[in-house]
Amino acid sequence: MENSTTMIGSKGVIKKHEFVRILIQCLYSLGYDKSASCLESESGISYKSSEFKLLESLVVGADWEGCIDNLYGIKELTDEQRDTALFLVSKQYFVECLGRGDDSLALSLLRKQISKLKVGREKVHMLAFGLLSLGMNKVHDDNGFQELRKYLISELEQVIPPPITVPDRRLEHLVETVAASQVNSCIYHNSLDPVSIYKDHRCGRDQLPTETVQILSAHKNEVWFVQFSNSGNYLASSSSDCTAIIWKVLEDSKLVLEHTLKSHQNPVSFVAWSPDDTMLLTCGNSEVLRLWDVETGTCKHTFGDNGFLVSSCAWFPDSNRLVCGSSDPKKGICMWDCEGNEIKAWRGIRMPKISDIAVTPNGEYLISIFSDRDIRILNVGMNTERVISEEHPITSLSVSGDSKYLIVSLNSQEIHMWDVEGCFEKPLRYKGHRQHKYVIRSCFGGANGMFIASGSENSQVYIWNRRMSDPVEVLSGHSMTVNCVSWNPKRHQMLASASDDQTIRIWGPSSEKACSKEL
Amino acid sequence: MDIDPKQYEQIKINDKDSHNIILSYLIHGCYKETLESLVTSTGLKVTNAQLEDMEKRKRILHSALEGNALDAIHLTEQMSPDLLENNKDLLFDLLSLHFVELICSKKQTEALNFGQAKLAPFGKVQKYVGKLEDFMGLLAYVEPEKSPMFHLLSLEYRQHVVDNLNRAILAHAYMPSFSKLERIIQQATVVRQCLSEELGKDVLSPFSLKDFLKRS
């Protein structure tokens, strides 16, 4: 028999007999019964404690009074645990009495012992109901009772605390906790794959997009906006050259030009992909809202007349309803369907100038930025709203893929993250980039949306891990202000940036160092 | 805007209406002797058959109220056959009164046997299961009056069941199951509450019958 104070581990804080015991439990739970009992005999350590084995034998032998006395004798139980265990045992005793037709014993058990336990009256009443013999007592034979007794033993195992029992799957839980903790502290962790427990987990920066892999120069003027489609197979960009371009992402991650969308008269500052990626909306600060078919590159609809100036737009998950916000205070927010029918509008003097608008991917919330500094979160279903007021002008709004968080870029050179449901009292802050005068946009990205990327007035792209307020990467390459960034939602290592230098850069991990120019 | 008492004077009430209201109240409550006095004083008509029925009904209700539910059931079946057949809820409530009586007399085993014989069949129907669990639960406690279900032992509960029985017997005989007096008071209360809601809580305080009667 092992000395129960032997320690193992380099720091000597783990008790050997506890360690062996959870190893034995693990072997049993994996189905290796022979190995488990072999380990028990080799180590002299038994998985089930002697106290539990005693209780077990009392249950199997139906010595109910003995069980009850035993439970009263276990000091490690809290009163609540004891009452729960006593109820379980008494219930089995009760059921077996009824099964044998001994109603009066069952009744007296109910009255003298069970009703005194603190287990909630519904449980007591249910047992009393059982006295009516309505078929609850289908078990009459010894075999049936044995099954129930086995089940009782496993239930008792859940109630009685360590060290008399060992919590279920203890070793798995300990390993999982460590692995999860390592992943959480890994600042470059950018994948959804399982991690290996052979080594301590730590990713290198090669997990993130840090090098330019392609430069797209088709635009003839400043590129103001980029966004990947929801499937990650396309990229849309828009420019002060009054066009928008749809690019296709090929298998090998290279992008090629697919369509150029020309018909706007003024710079296009915003595009939005329909959730099913078949349609694209384009608009600009002094421009109307247009709907394009992605496959053919043709304009399917123009919303409103010439005076209708739309600053930004968003889709509902059904890819049929869209909302747009106007910079003209008299127009407010309008909801349309794809045929151009107006469904709803929020107008009037109370609707100030809307500069940005978004819908959470689950369609539950409509978020808008108005009067520069206020974030209005409208619960669409319940028609209730909440307003967060920022102290500095907001230049962009982005929502996370899981619909839980939003980020806003501020002219005070900070990005603030809030939660949509409203539990944060203060925002999480990210800084390091430059933003004073221009509209700079930021976005969520990476596996599980764990990263934030932003453009900057110093021509660099900034990447943060959401857990830290300082950037983990700063990417150089552009020669002028980077206005907007978009992270590919399916290819977590692909990032696109749009700049005043008239180019779009595609960024990838540092092992793919190829950098080619494309039209 | 409170009702101006002077407006009452505009409304004239017929003596005959008043007498009818009281008559219906006395019939409903089985007040046989009082009814006979009233009839003599006012010249209203009441048949012998009506008086006999009232007497029978009175016996039934008193049995039930005194804890003799089985007698009450028997007499009801004599007076209004198939009433309880068609009103299982009421039958259950009456049987449960007997069950409670046995428990109060500390006759647990008898109560259990009665439950198994008479109440168990109801347990096959989902809507009675909850009630049945509550009643059977009384068996679990050595001092049922201190148990969570103690209200099932109370006089209020017995009275409630007896009221239901009364209404059922009256309905079965094609008589009104609510006395006219009850209806009038209910009507007045509902109307005042409606007005209260419409005009807003600040204008009319919630209607209290007690205060109203005190004032007039």
Side-chain angles (χ1 to χ4, degrees):
Chain A
M1 200 42 174
E2 295 283 348
N3 180 350
S4 56
T5 55
T6 314
M7 299 302 193
I8 58 168
S10 58
K11 299 197 172 72
V13 295
I14 300 177
K15 298 187 189 129
K16 181 172 174 184
H17 79 276
E18 285 193 1
F19 192 70
V20 174
R21 206 170 155 203
I22 66 174
L23 275 177
I24 298 170
Q25 180 196 50
C26 188
L27 287 171
Y28 274 121
S29 73
L30 288 171
Y32 303 132
D33 287 11
K34 274 197 278 191
S35 304
S37 63
C38 191
L39 180 50
E40 280 184 294
S41 62
E42 232 186 303
S43 65
I45 295 172
S46 164
Y47 169 49
K48 289 192 179 152
S49 64
S50 49
E51 291 105 326
F52 195 76
K53 280 199 205 157
L54 175 57
L55 185 58
E56 210 178 3
S57 67
L58 290 169
V59 169
V60 167
D63 178 0
W64 304 115
E65 299 293 335
C67 272
I68 291 172
D69 285 340
N70 182 295
L71 285 170
Y72 275 111
I74 300 181
K75 307 183 282 324
E76 289 90 341
L77 291 172
T78 64
D79 285 343
E80 199 189 318
Q81 287 167 337
R82 180 170 299 117
D83 273 6
T84 311
L86 284 170
F87 180 78
L88 289 170
V89 167
S90 307
K91 183 172 93 165
Q92 182 60 22
Y93 186 8
F94 181 87
V95 164
E96 294 198 11
C97 285
L98 284 184
R100 287 194 313 266
D102 196 346
D103 286 1
S104 54
L105 181 55
L107 180 59
S108 113
L109 176 64
L110 185 63
R111 289 167 69 85
K112 296 206 178 74
Q113 300 195 14
I114 298 182
S115 59
K116 295 189 168 49
L117 299 172
K118 292 190 179 45
V119 286
R121 72 165 127 139
E122 314 76 34
K123 289 192 175 154
V124 174
H125 289 191
M126 242 177 38
L127 282 188
F129 185 77
L131 285 167
L132 291 177
S133 308
L134 282 176
M136 179 182 126
N137 324 303
K138 288 201 179 99
V139 178
H140 298 287
D141 65 338
D142 215 50
N143 272 337
F145 285 158
Q146 285 297 344
E147 278 302 309
L148 288 178
R149 290 177 200 161
K150 265 196 221 149
Y151 184 66
L152 170 61
I153 291 168
S154 69
E155 279 187 299
L156 285 172
E157 229 174 334
Q158 310 286 337
V159 172
I160 296 174
I164 300 174
T165 62
V166 177
D168 224 19
R169 296 177 189 265
R170 189 64 190 156
L171 185 59
E172 264 178 57
H173 170 77
L174 287 171
V175 172
E176 222 175 30
T177 306
V178 169
S181 154
Q182 284 175 354
V183 165
N184 275 342
S185 24
C186 174
I187 55 174
Y188 295 117
H189 191 80
N190 187 21
S191 103
L192 301 171
D193 300 333
V195 299
S196 162
I197 55 173
Y198 288 152
K199 4 181 252 222
D200 284 351
H201 179 77
R202 183 182 298 148
C203 295
R205 54 190 294 275
D206 56 293
Q207 287 297 306
L208 293 180
T210 51
E211 312 283 328
T212 305
V213 295
Q214 197 176 356
I215 301 180
L216 310 174
S217 322
H219 278 297
K220 308 216 178 346
N221 208 330
E222 297 171 357
V223 189
W224 285 2
F225 197 92
V226 272
Q227 193 172 68
F228 280 102
S229 66
N230 298 287
S231 60
N233 293 328
Y234 291 95
L235 178 71
S237 62
S238 74
S239 162
S240 56
D241 68 8
C242 307
T243 70
I245 296 181
I246 296 179
W247 310 80
K248 189 166 166 67
V249 180
L250 301 175
E251 291 276 331
D252 61 356
S253 301
K254 289 268 173 292
L255 273 74
V256 291
L257 190 149
E258 185 100 328
H259 298 298
T260 308
L261 314 178
K262 299 184 220 220
S263 74
H264 280 290
Q265 312 287 343
N266 290 305
V268 185
S269 59
F270 198 93
V271 304
W273 288 92
S274 64
D276 63 5
D277 290 339
T278 58
M279 293 173 282
L280 189 71
L281 286 170
T282 57
C283 58
N285 279 328
S286 328
E287 259 297 325
V288 296
L289 179 67
R290 287 189 199 275
L291 179 70
W292 305 81
D293 176 270
V294 172
E295 207 182 312
T296 58
T298 53
C299 179
K300 296 208 320 189
H301 194 80
T302 303
F303 292 86
D305 50 30
N306 268 334
F308 185 56
L309 306 177
V310 174
S311 55
S312 86
C313 50
W315 290 86
F316 277 89
D318 59 9
S319 289
N320 186 37
R321 289 173 298 153
L322 54 111
V323 276
C324 58
S326 174
S327 34
D328 179 348
K330 290 198 219 71
K331 307 284 179 157
I333 299 178
C334 300
M335 191 195 293
W336 307 81
D337 70 14
C338 290
E339 266 91 61
N341 306 311
E342 192 181 293
I343 301 175
K344 201 172 170 173
W346 291 265
R347 282 201 180 97
I349 14 168
R350 275 183 68 242
M351 281 320 299
K353 170 177 113 152
I354 312 285
S355 49
D356 221 321
I357 197 168
V359 174
T360 54
N362 61 12
E364 285 178 24
Y365 292 92
L366 174 64
I367 307 175
S368 46
I369 309 293
F370 57 89
S371 304
D372 263 8
R373 290 167 205 226
D374 290 330
I375 308 170
R376 174 180 173 257
I377 303 174
L378 170 72
N379 182 317
V380 179
M382 305 207 288
N383 207 26
T384 53
E385 72 174 41
R386 176 169 90 84
V387 175
I388 303 171
S389 292
E390 287 281 0
E391 284 171 8
H392 297 275
I394 297 171
T395 62
S396 98
L397 167 69
S398 273
V399 177
S400 64
D402 61 7
S403 301
K404 290 193 194 156
Y405 301 100
L406 63 98
I407 45 175
V408 284
S409 288
L410 306 164
N411 265 353
S412 55
Q413 309 199 121
E414 281 189 359
I415 296 171
H416 287 182
M417 182 161 102
W418 297 89
D419 71 317
V420 174
E421 306 246 319
C423 306
F424 285 10
E425 285 182 10
K426 289 186 309 199
L428 293 172
R429 290 163 202 264
Y430 306 93
K431 50 189 170 46
H433 60 304
R434 293 264 166 279
Q435 178 178 357
H436 272 315
K437 302 192 277 185
Y438 300 123
V439 171
I440 302 290
R441 308 191 70 95
S442 53
C443 69
F444 285 93
N448 280 334
M450 275 318 292
F451 295 92
I452 291 175
S454 170
S456 171
E457 279 162 17
N458 63 5
S459 65
Q460 288 167 314
V461 174
Y462 285 75
I463 298 180
W464 294 260
N465 180 308
R466 269 165 60 172
R467 290 187 212 101
M468 296 162 35
S469 61
D470 291 319
V472 295
E473 287 295 335
V474 179
L475 314 181
S476 307
H478 281 295
S479 52
M480 292 176 76
T481 298
V482 178
N483 299 309
C484 182
V485 286
S486 176
W487 210 307
N488 191 313
K490 298 290 183 234
R491 300 177 203 222
H492 300 308
Q493 299 180 320
M494 181 186 284
L495 182 66
S497 58
S499 167
D500 279 352
D501 67 11
Q502 306 187 5
T503 68
I504 298 165
R505 280 187 180 237
I506 306 295
W507 307 82
S510 61
S511 50
E512 303 170 40
K513 268 199 121 158
C515 175
S516 60
K517 260 187 127 131
E518 275 248 9
L519 269 175
Chain B
M1 174 212 123
D2 211 351
I3 307 288
D4 181 359
K6 288 206 273 292
Q7 291 188 314
Y8 294 155
E9 271 130 63
Q10 313 286 344
I11 322 272
K12 290 289 174 230
I13 310 207
N14 195 320
D15 261 358
K16 208 153 157 244
D17 286 336
S18 307
H19 292 154
N20 272 326
I21 291 173
I22 298 174
L23 188 74
S24 108
Y25 174 76
L26 293 175
I27 292 179
H28 187 92
C30 298
Y31 300 111
K32 186 156 165 273
E33 285 90 33
T34 318
L35 182 63
E36 282 168 339
S37 292
L38 184 66
V39 162
T40 333
S41 324
T42 58
L44 285 168
K45 296 283 185 285
V46 168
T47 68
N48 274 332
Q50 275 178 303
L51 289 173
E52 270 170 34
D53 278 348
M54 260 178 65
E55 185 58 48
K56 283 188 203 163
R57 196 160 37 98
K58 187 168 161 183
R59 276 179 61 200
I60 295 176
L61 298 178
H62 276 182
S63 300
L65 206 52
E66 280 159 9
N68 232 322
L70 291 182
D71 272 353
I73 293 175
H74 181 63
L75 291 169
T76 308
E77 279 168 352
Q78 274 187 337
M79 179 176 177
S80 323
D82 74 84
L83 179 153
L84 290 173
E85 273 289 305
N86 295 334
N87 198 335
K88 293 285 188 214
D89 284 358
L90 190 51
L91 178 58
F92 180 83
D93 284 344
L94 288 168
L95 290 170
S96 68
L97 281 186
H98 182 71
F99 182 80
V100 164
E101 190 53 40
L102 289 171
I103 290 193
C104 288
S105 331
K106 310 276 182 219
K107 296 179 180 152
Q108 291 90 256
T109 328
E110 250 189 82
L112 176 59
N113 290 335
F114 177 76
Q116 285 171 329
K118 296 289 184 187
L119 294 178
F122 286 90
K124 302 205 176 99
V125 178
Q126 186 55 38
K127 73 166 171 166
Y128 294 109
V129 169
K131 276 182 168 178
L132 208 38
E133 279 180 358
D134 285 348
F135 279 104
M136 294 305 293
L138 286 169
L139 276 175
Y141 301 94
V142 174
E143 292 180 304
E145 56 285 357
K146 296 200 182 137
S147 77
M149 308 312 299
F150 70 94
H151 61 277
L152 295 173
L153 306 167
S154 68
L155 181 57
E156 281 88 16
Y157 177 72
R158 278 212 294 286
Q159 187 68 61
H160 171 74
V161 175
V162 165
D163 282 346
N164 284 345
L165 179 57
N166 192 20
R167 296 191 210 281
I169 297 176
L170 288 166
H172 191 262
Y174 300 105
M175 288 171 66
S177 38
F178 285 87
S179 69
K180 299 192 172 108
L181 185 62
E182 271 183 285
R183 280 300 190 221
I184 290 177
I185 297 178
Q186 284 166 344
Q187 166 75 354
T189 312
V190 164
V191 166
R192 290 282 291 201
Q193 281 169 359
C194 276
L195 277 179
S196 220
E197 277 165 24
E198 280 213 15
L199 298 174
K201 288 189 261 259
D202 308 326
V203 181
L204 279 184
S205 44
F207 180 59
S208 154
L209 179 62
K210 196 161 140 208
D211 290 343
F212 177 79
L213 292 173
K214 251 197 269 178
R215 256 184 293 142
S216 325

